Amino acid sequence: CFIEKTDKLATCMEECKRMGIPVLPPDVNSSGADFTAVPEGIRFGLAGVRNVGEGVVGAIVAQRKEGGPFASLQDFCLRVDVKALNKRTIDSLVKAGAFDSTGYTRKHLTAMLDDAVDSGLKRQRDREDGQNGPLRPASPCPPFPPRTVRRSGSHRYGGRSGAPTRPGRATSPRT
């Protein structure tokens, strides 16, 4: 069965059902462009998901081969080239169940979508600009001012031990 032939798609799905072969939802960690045979059954192809084209599928599969399976939605957004996909494409993949293998619910994935895409886009732009480390700032931080050490008893409120006391309160020790 080829996904491009939608009229034959229903017939193929019925045939699989008649033979007792489960047709599984698409999965970013195991699906190809078209239907893929896996030990559990037949995995629906990523190209069969609305708003997902062949270029997107190629980028997903290439990144999966290079870096291994995707651990989460954030991992996916950090690794797959943002030039190949957009929020609508990822939302369609979430709704189709393509991220179910990551262990998150679709509702949770939908809630995380905007932040994951934005952080992935920012990280990829930083990489293109030559800022590879996640903790590397865009500009160098100013140095800290030199630290001053106060002597005991020289606190601004006049406490004997140097411990702060509130203004207007007695500074004598409690008994």
Side-chain angles (χ1 to χ4, degrees):
C1 263
F2 293 104
I3 291 177
E4 291 86 24
K5 300 178 182 180
T6 55
D7 54 336
K8 197 172 178 192
L9 184 63
T11 309
C12 290
M13 300 263 301
E14 285 297 319
E15 185 68 19
C16 287
K17 186 176 181 180
R18 187 185 64 74
M19 295 174 62
I21 301 170
V23 178
L24 306 167
D27 186 356
V28 294
N29 286 323
S30 61
S31 290
D34 292 323
F35 288 91
T36 307
V38 293
E40 301 86 28
I42 296 177
R43 184 72 63 187
F44 203 86
L46 292 172
V49 178
R50 183 179 299 261
N51 301 320
V52 179
E54 291 289 331
V56 173
V57 174
I60 293 170
V61 172
Q63 192 54 241
R64 186 176 67 211
K65 285 180 181 176
E66 182 182 319
F70 300 103
S72 64
L73 178 63
Q74 290 85 357
D75 181 39
F76 178 85
C77 291
L78 290 173
R79 290 171 44 195
V80 178
D81 188 10
V82 292
K83 294 173 187 154
L85 38 94
N86 55 38
K87 286 182 186 178
R88 191 173 85 181
T89 302
I90 299 171
D91 186 47
S92 295
L93 288 168
V94 168
K95 288 177 181 174
F99 289 95
D100 290 355
S101 64
T102 62
Y104 294 98
T105 64
R106 294 180 193 178
K107 184 177 181 180
H108 191 188
L109 289 164
T110 302
M112 296 185 321
L113 181 66
D114 287 337
D115 290 338
V117 171
D118 291 343
S119 67
L121 180 63
K122 183 182 181 321
R123 180 77 60 88
Q124 288 186 21
R125 284 183 182 157
D126 286 349
R127 258 189 254 143
E128 288 174 2
D129 293 342
Q131 298 178 11
N132 295 326
L135 300 176
R136 175 174 273 159
S139 62
C141 293
F144 286 108
R147 183 177 166 173
T148 58
V149 179
R150 296 180 186 229
R151 292 186 186 170
S152 178
S154 66
H155 194 270
R156 71 184 242 198
Y157 296 125
R160 285 195 280 183
S161 66
T165 58
R166 286 189 252 159
R169 296 201 55 158
T171 58
S172 61
R174 293 183 187 184
T175 55

